[in-house]
Amino acid sequence: MKPVNIGLLGLGTVGQGVATILARNAAEIQRRTGRTIQLTHAAVRNQGKAEALDLGIQITTDAQQIVTNPDIHIVCEAMGGDDPALQLLHAALDHGKHVITANKALIAVHGNELIAKAQEKGLVVAYESSVAGGIPIIKALREGLAANRIEWLAGIINGTGNFILSEMAEKGRTFQDVLAEAQALGYAEADPTFDVEGIDAAHKLTIMASVAFGMPLEFNGVYTEGISKVTRDDVEFAEELGYRIKHLGVARRRSDGVELRVHPTLIPEKRLLANVNGVMNAVVVHGDAVGPTLYYGAGAGSEPTGSSLVADIIDVVRGIDADASHRVPVLAFQPDALEPQVILDTTDFESAYYLRLHALDQPGVLATVAGIFGDLDISIEAILQKEPEADTANLSGEDSVPTVPIILLTRRVREGLIEKAIERVELLDTITQPVTRLRVESL
Ligand code: HSE
């Protein structure tokens, strides 16, 4: 059988991982596919730098040459960004090539149109490497769990963010210091606000929710909150209460719609997910038949991401001569069976909550606060009152009253109700700062 030729767009961290794996494991991959797979071309920005890698392939700075080359069967995109990646993948499909991409932003935002075009042409769009790096989570959702009605999934799906939170909690390092290291290691996005503000995780959550629930990709429906406002105090108070703070992506299917949300979350310290540290990712998926299942592994990096991308190449090669109708549907469900869902508004989210208040240290404050929660029928699970705050404890003068941090943990409640409670608490004269609100998931 003739070899299958691969054209790579981008030879950065991920692209080099793909080239390394294809070369090192060529014999093993041939045993799996029965075909020779050869990387023949790569499009790069810097020709000299790429040639210095000495990969024995044709290097060009003109990516159009790759997507239009009749000898290339599969185009792998590892360049990132929208422009020109989207145009190049459209062009590759127009020229009859299967496409594989590690580009989560592109799939989450433009995937519906790209996939529709591929389906029309009997081609594949594969994107395992776009979610959770080396973890085969798309494969698990799409095939391994295909018997289930998937009810919810929750994951740590941004390695950079998890690396930052872990180092802050374990070593007391500063946010900026850890971020700089993540950038140097090639984990962080070109624009690291994508990592720390949860946009990258929202892209990945969009893709997983679509494959899990059989809905079109709905990036604009994801509520996103970053980790840049998580303080060391919150990390410490959470620990005292038996929780760790993780940046979680949650997709939950309810009878009235779906919740799609990315935000810092307190997780009980005994949960496996609470112990996923550094650049590692993990996703818990709950299916009605199987119950909870957990997937863990490196969420970023050259060879872990390359591992998923090469697995997609192998999948495409195995089915390259098959009739398109015999392939696993790109978004797990038959294209005409995808069902748009009602995306629930934040006020309808249901969760438990961690609230940090700063109150004047005087009698009756706690009772007044508790009264507000009682009136709204919000059940309080735990209260922690800390020592007076250092900057207010030594105030002198008759009117000076120190403030104390008060931490409340509530039971599960609708977010609209919590917002109402926070509004009333913040109106009290005895509350000196805006209330910090973090969600708590028991998973
Ligand atoms: N910036 C991403 C992360 C890379 O840190 O997880 C992998 O998608």
Side-chain angles (χ1 to χ4, degrees), residues 14 102 104 129-133 157-162 182 186-190 194-195 200-201 204 279 281 299-301 305:
V14 176
K104 51 255 156 156
S129 53
S130 68
V131 182
I157 45 179
N158 181 269
T160 302
N162 201 42
Y187 300 151
E189 297 302 300
F194 272 45
D195 296 298
D200 176 76
K204 294 165 182 168
V279 74
N281 281 196
T305 310

Side-chain angles (χ1 to χ4, degrees), residues 62-139:
D62 180 6
Q64 293 296 337
Q65 279 185 22
I66 291 193
V67 296
T68 57
N69 185 332
D71 295 331
I72 292 175
H73 307 106
I74 300 173
V75 168
C76 296
E77 187 262 317
M79 61 203 308
D82 259 17
D83 184 27
L86 181 60
Q87 178 273 321
L88 289 168
L89 291 191
H90 272 293
L93 291 171
D94 288 335
H95 285 83
K97 297 171 201 328
H98 300 287
V99 300
I100 297 174
T101 180
N103 193 329
K104 51 255 156 156
L106 195 133
I107 291 292
V109 180
H110 303 287
N112 292 324
E113 50 185 275
L114 211 53
I115 292 166
K117 178 179 273 186
Q119 261 144 6
E120 214 175 274
K121 294 177 177 293
L123 296 165
V124 175
V125 175
Y127 50 88
E128 179 69 74
S129 53
S130 68
V131 182
I135 306 174
I137 187 66
I138 300 301
K139 191 86 169 171

Side-chain angles (χ1 to χ4, degrees), residues 357-360 362-373 375 403 406 408 420-435:
L357 287 54
H358 293 266
L360 293 181
Q362 61 187 34
V365 177
L366 211 50
T368 313
V369 169
I372 290 175
F373 283 80
D375 285 349
T403 61
I406 298 174
L408 302 178
K420 214 176 263 181
I422 291 175
E423 220 175 277
R424 291 191 193 172
V425 167
E426 285 180 342
L427 285 176
L428 297 174
D429 291 339
T430 47
I431 299 297
T432 60
Q433 289 179 31
V435 173

Side-chain angles (χ1 to χ4, degrees), residues 317-331:
V317 170
R318 281 172 171 157
I320 206 158
D321 297 322
D323 185 279
S325 63
H326 294 153
R327 297 197 186 112
V328 179
V330 174
L331 288 178

